[in-house]
Amino acid sequence: MNNTDSLSLAQFSVVVVPGAMRLPIIILFLVTSAYLSSTADDTKDEFAVVLTLDQSNFTQTLTKHHFLVVDFYAPWCGHCKELAPEYENAASILSSNEPPITLAKVDANDEKNKDLATEYAIQSFPTLKIIKNGGKSIQDYKGPRDAQGIVAYLKKQAGPASTEIKSTEDGSDLINGDNIVIVGIFPELSGDKFNAFIALAEKLRSDYDFAHTLDAKLLPQGDSSVSGPIVRLFKPFDELVVDFEDFNSDALEKFVEEASTPTVTVFNNDPKNHPYVIKFFSTPNAKAMLFVNFSSKPFGAFESKYHDIANEHKGKGISFLIGDVEASQGAFQFYGLKEDHVPVIVINNDREKYVKPNLEPDHLESWLKEYKDGKIAPYVKSEPVPESNDQPVKVVVADNFDDVVFKSGKNVLLEMYAPWCGHCKKLGPILDKVAVSFAKDTDVVIAKMDATANDIVHEDFEIKGYPTLYFKSASGKLLKYSGKRTKEKIIDFIKNNKDDIAQQDSRKEEL
């Protein structure tokens, strides 16, 4: 975790879904120097709005607070800096809540907190966790990133997992057609099935709104004559109301997961759609993404045909999304697409992706069949191969990756970086010095590749964070470098692992 800018689906959501999982936050409140002061002593922090925690006081603090929210951050992280003033302001408001809701923070980039970051599976910054009952219950924070949104979300999370609907006003206030609401209808608020529903609500409360009632007539939609037990899911897409009667815990959870997923996820600038976009990218399915101009004349034909195809493929391992070009610039950059490709469809399947640009509505079905039949070649995103590559650190792109790394017969140290990565920027000058030190050794190549602009098609090169360094010896041995990122350590590593090409050639001649 330390010294690496983490790569995760959440970060991908930043790129593809501006305003969603990592909402850009307008800083409305200035943070005083007192709020910014940091200490590892919880007792010294007792008057601070946000508690500062670390490995030494974390467990002790958990025992003091029944409901604790922890922001795992890194000082260099831009999104963390945007969140900080909103988080501080929310903490100030929630400190006077009854009962108080406590907000805390942990510098997960600090070496002394590395075990905490591992224990809580921190893979991107900032990550917020809601920790209850001394650590017995841990859930991801999935709410807004502005102060008022944080306050509203946490008040709801601190309350009952499911609220009782006692009047038609209660029903209409909660079920307003804007989001997913799951309601249990029961003849009495007790028994195994009611308890199973409450357990489901507690488990999934960070994702959905739950309620229960004794009278289906209080609900704005659905069969009002049922007495239950039954679970009714309200949603703003596809069929608007779905009932379910199996109270087995696994069956209930599967029902909610499937019923709450749109047949076709819509990706545009409407923030109401963003939670479904995040869910789309979280699925293990292959992902089909059609990008069109929503204001263009052909959009209606594309939308209709695409929905038909999505319905035909339900439950067959492919999820479908339709995106407006206006909102899709981040996705275009990520997938290496251009606006003159529109209308364009992309299928992302594990490590490979497939692209069909400039298609017509009638092309969709036949192209998808060719993909499923294995007749479409994968698309590889690549920057142009450099016309000159005479700098100490050589530039590698997807189109010359094999030539430089595998076919050159050299010992190659390759850095895979991201332009926005702070640790990569620090490493750059160090690698320049390493390359200069090997300038007279023609057997060694120091290289770098922008892994956000080029696809890595070799499965042996695994990237979980930036920068990631690999060393490929002249004989083909592949090693991941995990040592200290100093000039001396990297040079020693190369010298200890490189092959002597002259010796190899002489051995071949002897054979």
Side-chain angles (χ1 to χ4, degrees), residues 446-460:
I446 311 299
K448 63 182 179 181
M449 183 172 79
D450 180 351
T452 69
N454 297 276
D455 286 337
I456 300 165
V457 297
H458 294 275
E459 293 184 2
D460 291 337

Side-chain angles (χ1 to χ4, degrees), residues 375-391:
K375 296 180 179 179
I376 306 294
Y379 170 81
V380 178
K381 176 178 67 173
S382 178
E383 293 180 293
V385 175
E387 293 184 7
S388 62
N389 209 353
D390 52 7
Q391 295 300 313

Side-chain angles (χ1 to χ4, degrees), residues 15-295:
V15 176
V16 176
V17 194
M21 203 155 200
R22 301 213 181 276
L23 286 161
I25 297 171
I26 301 172
I27 300 177
L28 300 176
F29 302 93
L30 295 176
V31 182
T32 66
S33 58
Y35 287 171
L36 289 174
S37 63
S38 175
T39 173
D41 187 347
D42 191 25
T43 58
K44 291 180 182 178
D45 233 6
E46 63 179 321
F47 297 110
V49 180
V50 175
L51 299 182
T52 300
L53 306 181
D54 62 21
Q55 186 73 48
S56 68
N57 63 2
F58 192 89
T59 302
Q60 181 185 12
T61 304
L62 286 188
T63 63
K64 294 181 181 179
H65 301 279
H66 173 74
F67 187 100
L68 184 68
V69 185
V70 182
D71 170 20
F72 291 88
Y73 73 97
W76 47 260
C77 161
H79 292 297
C80 303
K81 293 174 183 177
E82 291 175 344
L83 176 63
E86 302 292 335
Y87 194 67
E88 290 276 356
N89 188 59
S92 179
I93 297 169
L94 291 168
S95 65
S96 58
N97 189 64
E98 189 56 47
I101 296 175
T102 304
L103 273 60
K105 62 183 178 182
V106 171
D107 180 355
N109 192 60
D110 193 320
E111 183 66 30
K112 65 184 177 184
N113 298 323
K114 188 174 182 180
D115 289 344
L116 276 178
T118 301
E119 180 182 352
Y120 285 87
I122 308 304
Q123 297 184 358
S124 62
F125 298 126
T127 292
L128 278 69
K129 299 282 185 178
I130 299 173
I131 306 174
K132 304 178 189 176
N133 302 322
K136 293 178 181 178
S137 172
I138 302 169
Q139 67 185 65
D140 291 329
Y141 175 92
K142 298 182 180 180
R145 299 295 174 104
D146 64 282
Q148 293 301 325
I150 292 170
V151 169
Y153 182 86
L154 290 179
K155 282 184 175 181
K156 197 167 189 178
Q157 294 301 309
S162 178
T163 58
E164 185 176 358
I165 295 175
K166 299 180 180 180
S167 66
T168 54
E169 290 76 15
D170 290 345
S172 58
D173 286 346
L174 180 63
I175 305 160
N176 55 25
D178 288 338
N179 56 348
I180 293 171
V181 181
I182 302 161
V183 180
I185 305 167
F186 299 94
E188 56 182 359
L189 303 183
S190 62
D192 291 344
K193 292 185 176 180
F194 178 74
N195 292 336
F197 177 79
I198 295 300
L200 176 76
E202 189 64 52
K203 184 175 183 179
L204 301 181
R205 64 184 300 165
S206 63
D207 296 303
Y208 308 103
D209 291 329
F210 285 86
H212 53 271
T213 186
L214 292 168
D215 189 355
K217 295 184 179 66
L218 303 180
L219 305 179
Q221 295 169 287
D223 184 358
S224 61
S225 66
V226 300
S227 59
I230 196 168
V231 174
R232 179 165 293 171
L233 187 145
F234 297 87
K235 54 184 176 177
F237 52 82
D238 299 340
E239 67 272 46
L240 301 179
V241 180
V242 187
D243 287 348
F244 192 71
E245 298 183 36
D246 187 346
F247 281 81
N248 172 273
S249 59
D250 291 338
L252 269 177
E253 195 167 344
K254 183 180 179 182
F255 159 71
V256 171
E257 173 65 26
E258 293 178 352
S260 63
T261 302
T263 302
V264 175
T265 300
V266 177
F267 180 16
N268 57 10
N269 288 322
D270 187 347
K272 292 178 183 177
N273 289 325
H274 292 165
Y276 308 117
V277 175
I278 294 169
K279 187 172 184 179
F280 171 85
F281 284 110
S282 300
T283 178
N285 289 347
K287 298 164 185 66
M289 294 159 279
L290 173 64
F291 297 104
V292 296
N293 187 337
F294 280 17
S295 60

